[in-house]
Amino acid sequence: MSLQIVVYEDEAVAGLLPLTELKPVYALVTGASTLAVKFRRCLGAIGEVTFHMRSGLAAWFSRQYPVFSAPAGDELLLVNGRIVCDDSFTSLLGQLHSPGQSLVQDGELLALRVTAAQVAACAGKFDALLGACASGAATGVMQCQGVRVISHLWDPVSFHTEELHRESALLSLGCIEGDVAEGAHLVNPERIYVGKGARIGPGAVLDASEGFVAVAPGAIVEPQAVVAGNVFIAGQARVKMMARVYSNVCVGAFAKVGGEVEDSVIESYSNKQHDGFLGHSYISSWCNLGAGTTTSDLRNDYKKVKLHINGVEHATGLQFLGLIMGEHSKAAINSTFNTGTVVGTSVNMFGSGLSPGYIPSFSWGGPGTGFSTYRPDKALETARTVMARRGVELDEAYEVMFMEAASRCGKACL
């Protein structure tokens, strides 16, 4: 029987809010795919991959991920869900041969081999096992270096370029299967992929002279849009007319993108379909950036970007960093986001002026008027409407998850 692999969430996930407020950490995107996709791709040959997640997420996300329930064999391999898995990390896992052996990097536990009896003894709750390893109870701790781990809120952005380039080797570049209209221009088609059912409109330019362009099945690039230099457009996404999307961008499934976008991740079902600049940013699912919304991703003094979250300053070490936005947040027309801005879950921002550097989850207002509590029941009503417009039902499982997030944020229903 193959080894059972359990990808787990650890306590450090709490430091990645708001990006992990409404999704498990391995649903984060860097490069062209989620961390979960990378785990399945790399570890599937070793054994069956299942996922452990926070209890509040399980009812909804068990539909997307095979959730760990009980040991299927004598031994299990526990793998930290914050890892950006690749072949080199997979090779390291091959060195864990017996229970008690673990991989540790800079004090963080990356993987631990355990027995089924140990897991059964803790009723499937891994905290005790992980704590025992951290305290040195494991029989063989292997120190390693060079493994990419999502440890900071900005890591999905800082890892994005390298990971997008790495994953380009997995794409069917040079394969043009979709509908390319007369008058569309494909520059360096050997580095371009257009999947079945994808459509490239007349006058559109896919320029892979410096990098690659991949348009997945069912995606649409509208007339006169320009897509250039390491861009992945997921299935059913739409690049709007006259858009300029370039330099390391991932557009998620069913998302809509327009205006100018560079070096950013836009998760599935989000809208940034009008003019305005988005750079070096991470936009979670179900967000909407109104017409003319613009982000700054470079300080005027060219110093490294710092994030300010709940009054705490975080040095990112990055020259460029724009907007980090949690699920279901909205920005009205002509919104302006400062360099290194963090916007929480279900924020509704409107009005003129430059945004503050940090907007807590479930906030309503703008830089001119200030922010107040966005009532969770009203936020839920909006989320239900938005999801229904895309054919996704906000059912009881999602509602419970959403309202628990609101409660954690200290915003009880009024």
Side-chain angles (χ1 to χ4, degrees):
M1 181 179 294
S2 63
L3 183 65
Q4 186 176 13
I5 300 168
V6 183
V7 177
Y8 67 86
E9 292 194 290
D10 64 3
E11 293 180 351
V13 169
L16 300 175
L17 300 176
L19 294 184
T20 53
E21 193 84 71
L22 289 175
K23 59 177 173 287
V25 68
Y26 40 77
L28 289 172
V29 175
T30 190
S33 63
T34 64
L35 303 189
V37 167
K38 304 178 206 299
F39 281 123
R40 284 172 159 172
R41 181 193 302 138
C42 295
L43 304 185
I46 297 177
E48 176 192 6
V49 179
T50 58
F51 294 88
H52 157 269
M53 65 187 71
R54 288 159 281 159
S55 59
L57 305 179
W60 176 263
F61 282 99
S62 62
R63 305 166 189 179
Q64 301 179 36
Y65 303 104
V67 177
F68 170 78
S69 57
D74 295 332
E75 296 182 9
L76 300 88
L77 182 61
L78 309 184
V79 179
N80 194 315
R82 295 184 290 113
I83 292 166
V84 183
C85 192
D86 57 16
D87 291 341
S88 62
F89 177 70
T90 304
S91 296
L92 287 173
L93 290 179
Q95 301 178 43
L96 303 182
H97 301 296
S98 59
Q101 291 185 318
S102 64
L103 283 176
V104 174
Q105 176 174 279
D106 298 329
E108 288 192 306
L109 178 64
L110 304 188
L112 173 65
R113 190 150 179 164
V114 297
T115 65
Q118 288 175 294
V119 174
C122 69
K125 299 182 183 300
F126 300 137
D127 293 349
L129 288 176
L130 303 179
C133 177
S135 65
T139 58
V141 177
M142 294 178 49
Q143 301 290 336
C144 61
Q145 289 295 324
V147 179
R148 289 173 298 163
V149 183
I150 304 292
S151 299
H152 307 99
L153 192 57
W154 55 90
D155 283 343
V157 177
S158 64
F159 293 160
H160 178 59
T161 297
E162 178 184 349
E163 183 63 9
L164 194 61
H165 291 191
R166 187 187 72 82
E167 290 189 304
S168 68
L170 306 173
L171 301 172
S172 300
L173 301 180
C175 183
I176 312 297
E177 299 176 313
D179 179 16
V180 180
E182 183 177 356
H185 300 277
L186 274 57
V187 181
N188 194 20
E190 294 79 10
R191 297 285 294 169
I192 295 175
Y193 167 64
V194 180
K196 290 182 179 179
R199 290 186 284 142
I200 312 300
V205 177
L206 306 187
D207 184 355
S209 58
E210 297 182 5
F212 72 91
V213 173
V215 183
I220 297 172
V221 178
E222 293 187 356
Q224 300 186 53
V226 177
V227 181
N230 303 314
V231 176
F232 178 79
I233 311 295
Q236 313 304 318
R238 181 181 290 264
V239 179
K240 301 292 287 186
M241 189 179 299
M242 303 290 289
R244 291 91 69 206
V245 182
Y246 59 93
S247 179
N248 309 310
V249 174
C250 176
V251 179
F254 298 95
K256 298 179 182 179
V257 175
E260 183 181 4
V261 181
E262 70 165 343
D263 292 279
S264 295
V265 173
I266 300 174
E267 287 189 352
S268 58
Y269 293 103
S270 278
N271 284 336
K272 191 267 176 229
Q273 61 176 322
H274 301 291
D275 283 342
F277 173 72
L278 181 73
H280 293 86
S281 296
Y282 193 107
I283 307 299
S284 296
S285 296
W286 306 111
C287 293
N288 186 78
L289 303 182
T293 295
T294 291
T295 66
S296 167
D297 61 1
L298 175 66
R299 290 174 47 146
N300 284 351
D301 59 8
Y302 289 74
K303 291 182 179 179
K304 298 298 175 64
V305 178
K306 298 178 180 179
L307 297 186
H308 296 82
I309 305 172
N310 277 331
V312 179
E313 183 178 275
H314 300 266
T316 70
L318 300 177
Q319 185 80 66
F320 293 91
L321 184 61
L323 171 63
I324 296 174
M325 179 176 275
E327 264 91 351
H328 290 287
S329 286
K330 312 288 187 288
I333 61 171
N334 295 322
S335 294
T336 307
F337 290 99
N338 207 346
T339 314
T341 295
V342 177
V343 173
T345 299
S346 197
V347 169
N348 194 321
M349 178 176 140
F350 50 85
S352 61
L354 192 63
S355 73
Y358 173 66
I359 305 176
S361 295
F362 294 91
S363 295
W364 170 288
T369 59
F371 290 87
S372 58
T373 298
Y374 188 5
R375 284 177 44 177
D377 57 333
K378 295 296 184 182
L380 179 67
E381 180 182 344
T382 299
R384 191 186 308 277
T385 300
V386 169
M387 294 173 73
R389 283 166 55 89
R390 297 298 195 91
V392 178
E393 179 188 4
L394 194 161
D395 62 7
E396 182 180 359
Y398 199 95
E399 179 176 340
V400 169
M401 181 175 69
F402 189 92
M403 298 305 280
E404 285 183 355
S407 178
R408 286 194 302 272
C409 294
K411 307 295 193 293
C413 293
L414 302 178

